[in-house]
Amino acid sequence: MSGKEQQYIQEAFDTNWVVPLGPNVNGFEEDLKTFCGGENEVVALCSGTAAVHLGLLACGVGPGDEVIVQTFTFCASSHPITYLGAKPVFVDSEKDSWNIDPDLMEEAIKDRITKTGKKPKAIVPVALYGMPYKIDRIMEIADRYGIPVVEDAAEGFGSRYCGKVLGTFGKFGVLSFNGNKMITTSGGGALLCKEPEMKQTIMWYATQAREAYPYYQHEAIGYNYRLSNICAGIGRGQMTVVDDHIAHHKHVYKLYCQLFKDVDGIEVHGNPTPESDSNFWLNTITIDPSLHIKGEENAYHDTVKGAVGGAAGVVHASSTPHTDCEPNNNVEALRVILDAAGIEARPLWKPMHKQPVYKDAAAYVNGVSESLFKVGMCLPSGPYVSDDDVKYIVETIKDSIIR
Ligand SMILES: *Cc1c(COP(=O)(O)O)cnc(C)c1O
């Protein structure tokens, strides 16, 4: 944390604004609005998950509805659908961006209308690892069917498509400032919307939906989702370095490309089209199944005892080392080698349609996310990863390959 963050937090204490509203919250929203091009309204919330939840709520999603969501994602894109009593309809990815396949998405819309007689209530594309989705095609299809889009740009803060910041295309845009994201407020998020009236509605839902009476009068169910003034102070400080952070992630991407150039069987995931401008939040590689890694014959011999990587919180101990959909042995062997070398690498997100909790959900699949999950890996990419770190990571990977 820099001096800026501490200064804003100190101000919050000095002025007695240690609550989920206040000058830092307003200032942070202004900073975000400017960063996103000045056209959108911004509501700062306590998490990106809360932003997905309120975006869907404001699209009118309710019990019995269906929502189309990219299957290749972190669970926070789809879980809020279930909070509202609605059902996710998972759609697979296209090969080049790894994000929702617009053609398959349209097929899913048509098929849901045929099968249920109702249109899906919303569409949630996800900027996986920061990579932009094909938002021009997604919006064209969504508009044709009159379905609102909630962009999950939690990982894509500062990524652009055709020069425009992600989160500003759809009816709503989701940002996250969790500890591991492009900028952090320790925990936090924001919902981008188009009109000041909608901002009011979102803020109302985020503060327990109170009616204007001298006492607490409730005519709708609300949530306690506003960002704290302390966290927003960190956010204001982070906004002074966000451009540097993004430039750094892009620099690390270029370095990985350069250092992996001559390594057969390993590919760095890059921008697929001239319109795409990823923030490279996490740099990812794919590892050819034919590439042999030291120790791969022992992969998955032990069950995992704790959270893999830096993932926080409590996990259930696994009872078996295998599931019916997991990264290849060479990928797991490489993860173990990197872990032993003090390098935190992780598999890609496991597609939601392969998650037991969603086993009954409708899914429109083409095999892309599942096959990427088997061969993919996320590499360290954050602001503290130096050029020497990247060289060490790539050298460690090269040394792990059996020639
Ligand atoms: C991190 C993340 C979120 C939610 O963010 P939190 O702030 O952690 O609640 C939503 N969607 C995706 C794809 C994410 O990676």
Side-chain angles (χ1 to χ4, degrees):
M1 212 158 59
S2 75
K4 274 280 178 206
E5 281 92 340
Q6 277 166 11
Q7 177 196 324
Y8 286 120
I9 294 170
Q10 192 59 47
E11 255 170 48
F13 280 101
D14 292 347
T15 55
N16 216 8
W17 282 103
V18 188
V19 279
L21 78 170
N24 280 339
V25 177
N26 300 338
F28 186 40
E29 285 175 347
E30 271 309 305
D31 292 347
L32 289 168
K33 179 172 178 160
T34 306
F35 180 86
C36 292
E39 309 264 287
N40 288 71
E41 299 297 326
V42 182
V43 188
L45 299 168
C46 61
S47 71
T49 310
V52 176
H53 189 178
L54 293 187
L56 292 171
L57 179 75
C59 288
V61 174
D65 288 331
E66 290 189 335
V67 173
I68 288 190
V69 56
Q70 184 168 319
T71 188
F72 204 13
T73 188
F74 177 59
C75 64
S77 309
S78 54
H79 282 2
I81 298 167
T82 70
Y83 303 168
L84 291 162
K87 290 192 179 120
V89 172
F90 294 111
V91 173
D92 217 326
S93 291
E94 48 177 14
K95 276 188 187 143
D96 64 352
S97 72
W98 296 11
N99 292 325
I100 194 165
D101 179 331
D103 294 321
L104 193 55
M105 180 185 99
E106 180 162 15
E107 255 178 63
I109 295 171
K110 286 188 193 153
D111 196 51
R112 293 330 289 169
I113 295 173
T114 307
K115 291 212 166 95
T116 70
K118 277 201 315 187
K119 282 191 298 191
K121 264 288 173 66
I123 296 171
V124 184
V126 182
L128 208 68
Y129 306 117
M131 187 58 68
Y133 25 72
K134 304 271 174 65
I135 191 63
D136 48 353
R137 297 225 36 229
I138 294 167
M139 290 308 297
E140 186 275 316
I141 297 165
D143 287 346
R144 195 145 37 78
Y145 288 90
I147 304 173
V149 170
V150 178
E151 288 178 69
D152 184 345
E155 300 174 8
F157 183 51
S159 296
R160 290 164 188 268
Y161 195 80
C162 291
K164 204 163 131 72
V165 172
L166 294 191
T168 62
F169 294 84
K171 186 177 172 76
F172 294 104
V174 170
L175 303 177
S176 167
F177 316 117
N178 199 352
N180 57 354
K181 296 291 160 74
M182 186 53 82
I183 64 164
T184 178
T185 57
S186 70
L191 191 63
L192 271 58
C193 61
K194 305 278 189 216
E195 314 87 16
E197 301 76 48
M198 182 58 86
K199 174 171 175 163
Q200 289 301 116
T201 303
I202 299 298
M203 290 213 292
W204 181 72
Y205 276 120
T207 51
Q208 304 289 27
R210 287 168 305 185
E211 304 298 328
Y213 291 91
Y215 41 87
Y216 278 61
Q217 171 85 1
H218 299 287
E219 296 174 12
I221 299 292
Y223 303 86
N224 182 10
Y225 275 176
R226 203 76 165 112
L227 185 67
S228 106
N229 197 49
I230 300 293
C231 295
I234 305 175
R236 289 178 87 180
Q238 289 268 292
M239 287 306 285
T240 65
V241 292
V242 61
D243 290 331
D244 299 340
H245 278 207
I246 294 171
H248 180 80
H249 283 250
K250 290 181 176 180
H251 167 76
V252 169
Y253 163 70
K254 289 211 180 96
L255 207 51
Y256 276 125
C257 285
Q258 196 186 318
L259 297 172
F260 277 123
K261 201 168 62 200
D262 303 323
V263 183
D264 286 340
I266 293 188
E267 297 238 19
V268 183
H269 182 39
N271 286 311
T273 67
E275 291 80 17
S276 319
D277 178 8
S278 176
N279 62 8
F280 292 104
W281 168 60
L282 277 187
N283 283 286
T284 51
I285 54 171
T286 51
I287 299 157
D288 197 282
S290 67
L291 195 73
H292 292 295
I293 301 288
K294 290 173 189 164
E296 66 184 28
E297 65 283 2
N298 296 321
Y300 297 113
H301 277 195
D302 295 324
T303 54
V304 173
K305 299 294 184 298
V308 171
V314 178
V315 292
H316 286 168
S318 51
S319 52
T320 60
H322 289 284
T323 68
D324 68 346
C325 171
E326 62 192 18
N328 291 333
N329 285 354
N330 60 354
V331 174
E332 172 59 8
L334 183 57
R335 186 192 67 76
V336 170
I337 287 173
L338 292 174
D339 190 46
I343 299 163
E344 186 192 330
R346 287 194 223 173
L348 304 183
W349 303 130
K350 178 166 175 168
M352 286 303 132
H353 73 277
K354 297 302 291 181
Q355 300 287 359
V357 74
Y358 288 123
K359 64 181 188 308
D360 298 328
Y364 294 80
V365 295
N366 55 19
V368 171
S369 62
E370 211 182 323
S371 54
L372 283 169
F373 174 62
K374 289 179 179 160
V375 300
M377 176 167 271
C378 302
L379 296 178
S381 309
Y384 298 108
V385 177
S386 68
D387 286 14
D388 281 344
D389 292 337
V390 175
K391 284 176 198 150
Y392 171 64
I393 293 162
V394 174
E395 279 311 309
T396 309
I397 293 175
K398 281 185 180 170
D399 286 348
S400 74
I401 298 169
I402 302 170
R403 307 232 161 244

